[in-house]
Amino acid sequence: MRGRVGHVMLAVLAGLVLPGCAERPQSADGTARKSDQKAWHQPVNKSDVVKGWNSDDQASWEQQMRIRVQGQNEYSRAAAKP
Amino acid sequence: MARMKFVCDSERCIECNGCVTACKAEHDVPWGVNRRRVVTLNDGIPGEKSISVACMHCSDAPCMAVCPVDCFYRTDEGVVLHDKDVCIGCGYCSYACPFGAPQFPTNGQFGLRGKMDKCTFCAGGPEENGSEAEFEKYGRNRLSEGKLPACAEMCSTKALLGGDGDVVADIFRNRVLVRGKGSEVWGWGTAYGKPTQGAPSGGAAPQPKAEGTKS
Amino acid sequence: MLLTRKSSTASGAGAHSPLVGSLARSLTRAIPTMDRRAFLRRSGLGVGAGIATSQLLLVKKVQAADEAKPGSAKKVEVKRTVCGHCSVGCAIDAVVENGVWVRQEPVFDSPINLGAHCAKGAAVRENGHGEYRLKYPMKLVGGKYQRISWDQALDEISQKMLALRKESGPDSVFIVGSSKHNNEQAYLLRKWVSFWGSNNTDHQARICHSTTVAGVANTWGYGAMTNSYNDMQNSKAAMYIGSNAAEAHPVSMLHMLHAKENGCKMIVVDPRFTRTAAKADEYVRIRSGTDIPFLFGVLHHIFKNGWEDKQYIENRVYGMDKVREEVLAKWTPDKVLEACGVDEATCYKVAKIMAENRPSTLVWCMGQTQHTIGNAIVRASCIVQLALGNIGVSGGGANIFRGHDNVQGATDIGPNPDSLPGYYGLAEGAWKLFAKVWNVDFEWIKKQYAPGMMSKPGMTVSRWIDGVLEKNELIDQDSNLRGMFFWGHAPNSQTRGLEMKKAMDKLDLLVVIDPFPSATAAMAAMPGKPEDQNANRAVYLLPACTQFETSGSCTASNRSLQWRERVIEPLWESRSDHMIMAQLADKLGFGKELVKNYKMVAMKGGLMEPEPESILREINKCTWTIGYTGQSPERLKAHMRNMNVFDIKTLRAKGGIDKETGYSLDGDYFGLPWPCYGTPEMKHPGSPNLYDNSRHVMDGGGNFRANFGVEREGVSLLAGDGSHSKGAELTTGYPEFDHLLLKKLGWWNDLTEAEKTAAEGKNWKTDLSGGIQRVVMKVHGCHPFGNAKARAVVWNFPDPIPLHREPLYSNKPDLIAKYPTHDDKKAFWRLPTLYKTVQDKNKDIGKTFPLIMTSGRLVEFEGGGEETRSNPWLAELQQDMFVEINPKAANDRGIRNGEYVWIKTPPMLAVPEFKGMRVKALVTERVDAETVFLPFHFSGRWGGVDLAPYYPDGAKPVIRGESVNTATTYGYDSVTMMQETKTTVCQIEKATA
């Protein structure tokens, strides 16, 4: 029993140590970068999300962006003088 | 498809730094790191002009081109982000960036904001949207909440505009038409084509419309 | 081994894009005029060490709050509040997660700021951290601040006060209140001081806009901004004179730049080429303190060219003929040029722009007010606007930008030494009215006062040091001041700092109640001269809440009231100001009387405090003079919930029904800008633009106030025939309304029986039922305060027609001879006040101190600056105190950009051990060669020494610097005791060590 545990330990150790000996890819062709979620994927915590669009629905998100940006445009509330 | 852009209207920017502190507060950006800053030309003399500068989320981003570990990526909506777990903090991006956007925290708080920190267009980074991990490494992810960058949304005079490039262009164009000047804002020609009227005051000739500016 | 780059991204990376080239060129060009920020950022990079750690802890704090409730979902609430810095009144949505303020969101719906913020507004969330705040009560023991309990603090303070009262009377204690208190707290403090038995109380308005309030109210009725920030969108020309709005009121520029985009011509007149000037079409540089010569120089051209509005003047202005005579004779172009340095062509151009682009507005701030002749300067501005017919007109007006979030409210209903709330004054009749509202016996209040002192205006905050230091036989009260409360007020905002240290040391009792009491604390704790030190002095620091930890209303500069919801629970051991008032009142023996009309509510830890809503309801019952009566808490809250229905140009609601209460918002102006007359039920919509006779009084219209009698030397003071507010039954001028006039007109029977009982023997200000106001306005369309002319000649002021007088410290002896100051005054606000003596003694001071020293605001900081300098997000942006000096003045002194210099001023001659102010030189052409500029927000350095060791532990602001008030000189306005901060003299030398 003890011997088997020892074998398993060894195997685990080997698994941990050995990859360190291998040469890492040196070119950046295969990037280590993680992939990101889409911007239109809403966070789990919905309390921060502005209502009016649906998660993972790119079109509704883009529409929301177009509405939201009008907050930066006071002309959308005060028309220019004629 | 929306392509996110910032534009700063120097006719309106009053150098109040609202954008700077909005960014700091929203993302808990540490002291000494300036994702956004206000640059003033001709300070104190007639002709004084200010603009707010951060990462411009270039369509052909030099930082991305030179990064030795390829930690940068561009999202579908045109935001340039980077993976802090891959970044080695070499500073080559800073060398390449014309705007001084990449920041290198000097306080020795390793892990606080990674080796290099920059404006994310309030779009977080390659972690789960709105997660604690994303917040600690990159800050808030306003885009995934249906909001736009805090700096532009809180700009005191609405000089700094940020959002879908086409709509931002419309907002700005309307102002230029109303007041009859001001299209000489930096980057305007490059990003959105020929100025509506008048020549840029900076002395540079009007720029031809760059490729790939509209998606 | 080489790292290889992905080939696909290589193309084009090497070649500079044209954009890059253009930016690079621009940046190269920028170097010779390095901006303030780049210049200052250099030195202070190390200051922030340690800050990052604390910010990391904050993130953890939120997590900790989460972990406290395992399994429970995050409780997220959004609270609507208002920025606590300047007077624009920017709304903020605070996101609170499990009791922690985690984010702030822009309120695009706000008609005032449309989501916009300056650096301060965008950084207010730091108030929810409060890391550099005073955390618990402290007492100065052996030169060090020690923590004590609230009970001990309140016991000891009240015992000391009662002892002082016994020995020296209630007037021996001075209570400086605050423009940062909300309306309810400011009002309660005036009541509190009255029950204590003294008029020795004041607040920031004294040193900010007191000259405006007095000057403007005496010209046409009310002492306030006539129009609004929003209304400036309707202006066709705007002249800023003595205002640097781009730094002091940044969000107001949203409206101005919008107007400018639509053709409004913008003129900035200032001794300094400010950031506001950088946005102007026309910049005019004047010598500091010479606003009257310039304004009358402009007026000269207006009269000469017949550009004045003759019909308007005929109907609505008294005394313009006399002004015209004086201006045409006296302020000829040569005299104007000599006095203020502006030539004829420029004055003509400004006059032409203002005349040809009406409605034109005029904006001013501290640049006009903080002078020995402040009251006259602001009246000169009023006169220009009256001549052009610009007052009472949308797009015109005197747009007077106030400084603090609630300085207007504190002025209207707060702790003023010369008036009860609502400008009722201190006459016996006023006291009786308030005794009735407060439900206490008039005789009881009277007994609280020292005999004869109840109706005598108190001292002012600008002079409290003289109340301590002046010879007892020269002051107009029994005892000198022995106790001092700084209840939300910085010490470094008052002039003559060197003498203030002396006064602080001589006190018996110093109490500082503030979230950030540290400037006063450090100044009190640092060693002074042994001979000044009162061995029995007791110093206490009490942590007050910020406005984000309580609720209540605040009045923006445009007179709109906004209700703040409580964002978070009080931080640390802090308590709300009104709670502290109630608790101290209990100990002092008038607790029951103070709160008897209020509902008491339990706060954190079960501590009771008066409910702000019920205080506001009491305010509604007694402030008929200025129309703080219609703004019930319910109406204000409905406005806050439905900001989107208000138009941003007119501030008026188009339709809209509040879901929660069913209240119809239609027709209301946002925040019910005062005057909002009558009871809330009368539904007056508020007054967006004062004195606007193109609207019906029930639509917010009005006319000039009949407050100065009906005739003067045979000339009628009432408005001309046909000049009246729209729809008024009386179509000519008329006096203010009282029961007699109602009866005479046959309107008495329009009152209900109950109203008749209340109104009998009363006038529109003293009828507590509001019946007179209702009948006059709603039934007959008239104005309760009458319909009169504005006064171009204010005969009850020292200079009825504004007169230029040189500052007490001037570097122009020839002009002192031509424009000498006032004679000395013997007992003025209880104190002897010097003018001529000081000026004569110093007429050649320019030989030793040749530079004109002026001061002003920076966008990142506010007021005395402790609060904002304790905010790392702001502190990082301005890390050093500095002086702006012209290249010529700098070169003559061998000073280079960025070097340290010593600034010396006349008061320092008397204190040889004080070496001067050690600050950095910012060499810039913003100022001319004979002027230097200093920001006034710094404190914590004293004559080159860091006061860090004297701050209470953990309550030290991130950034400290020399305080400009150690350099400022003697000099006070001849009406209001406003201090002179804008024009004095100094010398600058390079610091060698």
Side-chain angles (χ1 to χ4, degrees):
Chain A
M1 201 60 179
R2 279 187 79 179
R4 278 185 72 182
V5 172
H7 277 112
V8 172
M9 288 280 283
L10 204 68
V12 168
L13 262 177
L16 285 171
V17 174
L18 284 178
C21 301
E23 198 177 346
R24 273 182 160 176
Q26 299 278 332
S27 95
D29 289 343
T31 178
R33 214 184 332 107
K34 289 188 287 293
S35 66
D36 194 2
Q37 288 174 326
K38 299 291 184 196
W40 39 91
H41 177 74
Q42 294 182 356
V44 184
N45 190 2
K46 292 284 185 284
S47 60
D48 288 331
V49 177
V50 179
K51 289 187 182 68
W53 63 284
N54 303 318
S55 191
D56 302 312
D57 176 352
Q58 186 181 347
S60 76
W61 177 81
E62 284 182 1
Q63 181 58 20
Q64 162 63 17
M65 290 289 106
R66 279 191 285 272
I67 295 167
R68 179 83 180 184
V69 78
Q70 289 306 323
Q72 298 171 34
N73 179 22
E74 82 282 1
Y75 281 95
S76 62
R77 275 183 79 177
K81 280 179 194 168
Chain B
M1 176 61 210
R3 199 191 107 224
M4 295 300 169
K5 273 289 161 198
F6 282 123
V7 151
C8 184
D9 182 350
S10 64
E11 290 293 315
R12 283 213 187 182
C13 178
I14 55 171
E15 201 192 347
C16 80
N17 275 321
C19 49
V20 176
T21 61
C23 175
K24 290 242 165 195
E26 179 69 348
H27 304 298
D28 272 324
V29 180
W31 184 289
V33 176
N34 291 289
R35 288 185 175 187
R36 179 167 282 290
R37 68 182 80 204
V38 180
V39 176
T40 301
L41 303 182
N42 301 322
D43 190 67
I45 53 175
E48 174 177 319
K49 288 266 188 290
S50 299
I51 58 157
S52 174
V53 185
C55 172
M56 298 299 274
H57 300 279
C58 307
S59 305
D60 182 2
C63 55
M64 208 162 161
V66 302
C67 178
V69 291
D70 190 28
C71 74
F72 289 94
Y73 61 102
R74 191 185 299 104
T75 66
D76 293 353
E77 66 278 9
V79 177
V80 176
L81 297 173
H82 73 300
D83 185 335
K84 290 190 178 184
D85 296 331
V86 174
C87 169
I88 55 171
C90 67
Y92 204 25
C93 51
S94 178
Y95 198 77
C97 176
F99 302 100
Q103 298 281 300
F104 299 88
T106 50
N107 289 345
Q109 289 288 329
F110 183 77
L112 178 65
R113 274 295 146 87
K115 285 142 271 188
M116 188 279 279
D117 190 76
K118 74 166 197 70
C119 162
T120 64
F121 208 86
C122 288
E127 299 286 347
E128 191 190 334
N129 287 352
S131 65
E132 206 63 60
E134 186 183 56
F135 175 65
E136 287 198 3
K137 282 184 204 163
Y138 307 97
R140 303 278 179 188
N141 190 333
R142 292 176 68 84
L143 289 192
S144 73
E145 295 167 350
K147 302 168 190 162
L148 286 160
C151 53
E153 294 207 323
M154 291 192 196
C155 173
S156 63
T157 57
K158 305 201 181 286
L160 182 63
L161 304 169
D164 182 334
D166 292 340
V167 189
V168 163
D170 286 344
I171 294 172
F172 187 70
R173 187 173 293 116
N174 178 49
R175 280 186 203 174
V176 171
L177 285 172
V178 172
R179 70 186 176 217
K181 64 165 180 173
S183 58
E184 58 271 25
V185 65
W186 279 337
W188 178 258
T190 315
Y192 306 108
K194 218 175 157 193
T196 314
Q197 53 176 252
S201 65
Q207 304 305 332
K209 189 173 169 179
E211 273 179 46
T213 53
K214 300 274 179 193
S215 52
Chain C
M1 186 175 288
L2 281 172
L3 291 159
T4 52
R5 190 158 43 76
K6 225 166 35 170
S7 57
S8 60
T9 52
S11 66
H16 274 301
S17 77
L19 166 64
V20 175
S22 137
L23 184 77
R25 275 194 300 281
S26 304
L27 287 174
T28 319
R29 272 210 322 268
I31 289 165
T33 59
M34 188 171 357
D35 66 290
R36 192 164 86 201
R37 203 148 288 107
F39 156 82
L40 290 165
R41 206 182 283 115
R42 297 276 155 94
S43 62
L45 272 177
V47 179
I51 300 244
T53 334
S54 64
Q55 281 179 340
L56 188 66
L57 289 175
L58 293 167
V59 179
K60 298 279 182 247
K61 205 158 92 188
V62 181
Q63 289 169 334
D66 288 347
E67 282 154 16
K69 296 174 194 161
S72 67
K74 278 185 191 172
K75 191 181 163 223
V76 177
E77 294 168 287
V78 177
K79 303 281 188 179
R80 186 156 287 180
T81 182
V82 175
C83 176
H85 294 295
C86 83
S87 67
V88 174
C90 301
I92 290 162
D93 272 350
V95 183
V96 181
E97 200 173 297
N98 294 344
V100 180
W101 186 355
V102 292
R103 296 176 83 170
Q104 85 179 64
E105 289 292 342
V107 184
F108 294 119
D109 283 349
S110 165
I112 290 180
N113 68 311
L114 294 95
H117 289 298
C118 70
K120 298 182 292 293
V124 294
R125 186 171 66 88
E126 203 280 337
N127 279 281
H129 301 169
E131 290 211 59
Y132 301 90
R133 263 167 68 166
L134 181 72
K135 299 178 179 71
Y136 26 74
M138 292 185 119
K139 180 186 181 179
L140 187 63
V141 183
K144 269 280 178 198
Y145 285 99
Q146 288 181 0
R147 179 178 186 171
I148 55 172
S149 72
W150 267 101
D151 285 342
Q152 186 190 344
L154 295 174
D155 279 340
E156 290 186 15
I157 292 167
S158 53
Q159 278 161 21
K160 272 264 180 192
M161 285 180 80
L162 291 170
L164 286 177
R165 181 191 187 98
K166 212 168 157 193
E167 286 167 28
S168 308
D171 284 324
S172 64
V173 180
F174 195 92
I175 314 280
V176 186
S178 183
S179 303
K180 304 277 254 180
H181 288 159
N182 59 33
N183 282 322
E184 293 72 23
Q185 293 167 336
Y187 166 88
L188 191 64
L189 188 62
R190 188 60 182 88
K191 188 173 170 182
W192 190 96
V193 176
S194 303
F195 288 4
W196 162 253
S198 176
N199 295 328
N200 276 336
T201 186
D202 209 353
H203 63 106
Q204 282 90 343
R206 178 69 44 205
I207 54 176
C208 131
H209 265 296
S210 63
T211 42
T212 298
V213 174
V216 170
N218 274 281
T219 300
W220 47 53
Y222 285 138
M225 178 169 178
T226 61
N227 294 29
S228 66
Y229 297 112
N230 297 68
D231 183 64
M232 292 178 74
Q233 289 201 10
N234 299 312
S235 302
K236 295 210 173 90
M239 173 155 75
Y240 287 69
I241 168 164
S243 159
N244 181 10
E247 295 213 58
H249 306 87
V251 176
S252 73
M253 292 295 282
L254 171 61
H255 301 292
M256 188 63 238
L257 292 174
H258 181 95
K260 192 173 174 237
E261 221 153 77
N262 286 279
C264 175
K265 304 275 182 300
M266 186 179 170
I267 306 162
V268 172
V269 184
D270 205 292
R272 183 169 166 252
F273 181 80
T274 60
R275 290 182 186 171
T276 316
K279 288 281 170 283
D281 297 297
E282 193 67 39
Y283 166 65
V284 181
R285 200 191 287 279
I286 60 169
R287 182 168 65 94
S288 182
T290 60
D291 307 56
I292 294 175
F294 173 75
L295 286 161
F296 281 177
V298 170
L299 196 56
H300 184 92
H301 292 287
I302 292 173
F303 286 137
K304 214 171 128 187
N305 292 288
W307 289 331
E308 74 273 25
D309 187 334
K310 295 176 189 75
Q311 185 64 45
Y312 180 96
I313 293 168
E314 169 73 24
N315 280 336
R316 301 190 69 181
V317 188
Y318 164 82
M320 192 61 91
D321 47 337
K322 290 196 187 111
V323 173
R324 183 190 153 94
E325 232 169 79
E326 176 155 337
V327 165
L328 284 175
K330 212 164 132 188
W331 290 109
T332 48
D334 55 319
K335 296 272 174 40
V336 173
L337 178 65
E338 177 193 50
C340 72
V342 183
D343 62 23
E344 182 175 2
T346 309
C347 286
Y348 175 82
K349 194 171 174 189
V350 170
K352 197 170 151 82
I353 293 172
M354 289 293 280
E356 288 184 350
N357 297 282
R358 282 180 258 193
S360 42
T361 186
L362 201 151
V363 179
W364 76 79
C365 295
M366 309 298 83
Q368 290 199 16
T369 64
Q370 290 179 335
H371 295 287
T372 50
I373 52 166
N375 77 80
I377 296 178
V378 301
R379 283 182 294 123
S381 294
C382 296
I383 290 168
V384 168
Q385 284 298 71
L386 287 170
L388 291 168
N390 272 330
I391 302 296
V393 177
S394 172
N399 281 314
I400 304 144
F401 295 177
R402 304 296 306 252
H404 301 69
D405 59 328
N406 196 39
V407 65
Q408 186 62 52
T411 306
D412 298 332
I413 57 172
N416 298 296
D418 57 340
S419 181
L420 285 160
Y423 308 96
Y424 277 87
L426 295 170
E428 193 169 297
W431 280 109
K432 285 188 167 150
L433 179 84
F434 274 87
K436 198 169 171 188
V437 173
W438 291 338
N439 199 11
V440 294
D441 186 14
F442 166 73
E443 293 299 327
W444 172 77
I445 309 180
K446 200 171 168 185
K447 260 187 260 153
Q448 294 292 97
Y449 273 80
M453 300 307 275
M454 193 179 194
S455 295
K456 185 185 281 207
M459 292 184 193
T460 64
V461 61
S462 49
R463 298 293 303 275
W464 75 267
I465 53 174
D466 292 313
V468 179
L469 300 173
E470 188 58 84
K471 290 193 196 90
N472 183 259
E473 61 268 26
L474 295 180
I475 63 172
D476 197 13
Q477 68 175 41
D478 281 345
S479 162
N480 281 68
L481 295 181
R482 298 180 61 193
M484 176 72 186
F485 274 64
F486 275 106
W487 205 325
H489 202 300
N492 53 317
S493 56
Q494 299 125 61
T495 53
R496 296 162 61 204
L498 296 177
E499 287 165 90
M500 188 186 298
K501 171 59 186 159
K502 206 176 163 122
M504 258 188 201
D505 287 349
K506 281 186 185 286
L507 288 170
D508 287 84
L509 174 67
L510 173 63
V511 182
V512 195
I513 308 173
D514 204 307
F516 300 90
S518 38
T520 325
M523 217 176 139
M526 75 179 185
K529 284 186 183 168
E531 65 267 29
D532 295 333
Q533 192 64 54
N534 177 345
N536 295 319
R537 185 182 67 160
V539 181
Y540 297 92
L541 313 176
L542 302 180
C545 293
T546 64
Q547 290 301 326
F548 305 111
E549 294 142 79
T550 183
S551 59
S553 66
C554 64
T555 307
S557 200
N558 71 317
R559 297 166 281 104
S560 282
L561 275 69
Q562 296 188 81
W563 186 268
R564 290 191 180 107
E565 291 183 283
R566 186 154 54 89
V567 175
I568 46 171
E569 289 287 334
L571 287 179
W572 317 106
E573 283 189 18
S574 67
R575 295 181 182 181
S576 69
D577 292 291
H578 48 296
M579 180 187 282
I580 301 170
M581 286 172 214
Q583 288 171 342
L584 265 177
D586 274 340
K587 304 266 181 196
L588 293 167
F590 54 85
K592 277 204 190 74
E593 288 83 356
L594 187 75
V595 301
K596 70 197 295 186
N597 293 343
Y598 310 138
K599 184 179 160 190
M600 299 297 283
V601 288
M603 302 308 289
K604 187 177 156 189
L607 295 165
M608 302 302 282
E609 69 173 31
E611 182 203 47
E613 282 87 343
S614 63
I615 304 177
L616 179 54
R617 271 187 256 279
E618 187 180 278
I619 296 170
N620 292 154
K621 284 195 184 101
C622 61
T623 46
W624 304 96
T625 42
I626 47 169
Y628 263 72
T629 48
Q631 301 99 334
S632 63
E634 291 72 24
R635 287 181 89 185
L636 293 182
K637 287 178 187 175
H639 280 218
M640 296 305 281
R641 284 191 291 263
N642 299 279
M643 287 176 159
N644 59 308
V645 304
F646 296 93
D647 183 89
I648 64 165
K649 266 191 183 165
T650 64
L651 285 176
R652 193 158 212 191
K654 288 177 189 146
I657 290 167
D658 179 41
K659 266 191 211 144
E660 209 161 298
T661 59
Y663 175 77
S664 165
L665 296 139
D666 191 31
D668 278 5
Y669 295 96
F670 179 68
L672 302 167
W674 72 260
C676 175
Y677 294 110
T679 58
E681 294 71 38
M682 188 175 99
K683 230 180 159 267
H684 187 273
S687 309
N689 302 322
L690 297 174
Y691 326 117
D692 180 356
N693 62 13
S694 70
R695 294 174 212 248
H696 192 279
V697 286
M698 285 305 291
D699 267 339
N703 46 51
F704 294 127
R705 180 175 178 180
N707 203 23
F708 317 103
V710 294
E711 65 136 67
R712 169 100 182 154
E713 290 161 358
V715 180
S716 171
L717 294 173
L718 299 178
D721 288 350
S723 169
H724 57 85
S725 56
K726 190 178 167 189
E729 254 176 55
L730 304 177
T731 57
T732 181
Y734 50 88
E736 58 182 341
F737 279 88
D738 61 7
H739 68 119
L740 293 172
L741 185 57
L742 275 195
K743 287 168 187 162
K744 205 165 135 191
L745 289 167
W747 297 356
W748 184 253
N749 285 332
D750 295 327
L751 293 167
T752 66
E753 287 310 311
E755 283 171 345
K756 277 183 193 168
T757 317
E760 188 58 57
K762 299 285 196 284
N763 62 27
W764 68 283
K765 298 181 281 193
T766 54
D767 164 22
L768 294 177
S769 73
I772 294 180
Q773 293 196 358
R774 182 184 68 80
V775 167
V776 170
M777 301 183 82
K778 213 170 172 181
V779 183
H780 300 283
C782 289
H783 204 299
F785 70 28
N787 176 18
K789 285 181 174 141
R791 298 192 299 173
V793 176
V794 176
W795 59 78
N796 48 327
F797 275 19
D799 294 324
I801 294 175
L803 204 60
H804 173 63
R805 295 173 185 274
E806 278 292 299
L808 302 189
Y809 291 85
S810 164
N811 59 1
K812 304 257 183 301
D814 52 325
L815 292 175
I816 292 176
K818 282 182 190 164
Y819 306 103
T821 188
H822 299 278
D823 291 329
D824 296 349
K825 287 166 184 268
K826 212 168 167 190
F828 181 48
W829 300 85
R830 301 189 186 183
L831 287 163
T833 306
L834 305 176
Y835 294 88
K836 210 161 178 36
T837 309
V838 177
Q839 193 177 56
D840 285 350
K841 208 171 100 190
N842 294 294
K843 66 178 191 305
D844 294 318
I845 197 82
K847 287 181 185 151
T848 18
F849 299 95
L851 295 167
I852 300 170
M853 188 181 97
T854 190
S855 60
R857 273 195 184 187
L858 303 177
V859 67
E860 292 85 359
F861 299 144
E862 202 246 358
E866 291 292 287
E867 178 183 2
T868 37
R869 280 182 289 107
S870 294
N871 181 331
W873 298 322
L874 295 169
E876 187 186 354
L877 295 166
Q878 286 293 346
Q879 300 181 11
D880 284 289
M881 171 66 177
F882 62 91
V883 55
E884 285 183 356
I885 181 169
N886 184 276
K888 182 175 182 298
N891 288 339
D892 286 352
R893 289 164 177 77
I895 296 164
R896 294 183 187 213
N897 193 39
E899 286 180 340
Y900 276 105
V901 296
W902 286 105
I903 301 180
K904 299 198 171 164
T905 60
M908 294 171 193
L909 295 173
V911 193
E913 67 276 15
F914 187 86
K915 289 171 71 185
M917 289 194 297
R918 189 168 182 269
V919 304
K920 283 193 165 179
L922 172 48
V923 178
T924 172
E925 285 177 24
R926 266 194 207 285
V927 286
D928 66 16
E930 66 163 2
T931 309
V932 298
F933 167 86
L934 294 130
F936 61 56
H937 310 289
F938 289 86
S939 63
R941 282 185 161 270
W942 189 269
V945 180
D946 189 357
L947 299 185
Y950 308 112
Y951 278 86
D953 283 343
K956 196 164 55 198
V958 180
I959 295 295
R960 294 176 301 283
E962 295 277 353
S963 173
V964 72
N965 80 326
T966 53
T968 44
T969 49
Y970 192 96
Y972 299 95
D973 178 73
S974 59
V975 173
T976 73
M977 211 56 117
M978 165 65 77
Q979 58 186 10
E980 174 76 70
T981 65
K982 293 298 183 217
T983 318
T984 186
V985 292
C986 73
Q987 178 59 299
I988 295 186
E989 58 188 58
K990 185 171 165 168
T992 41

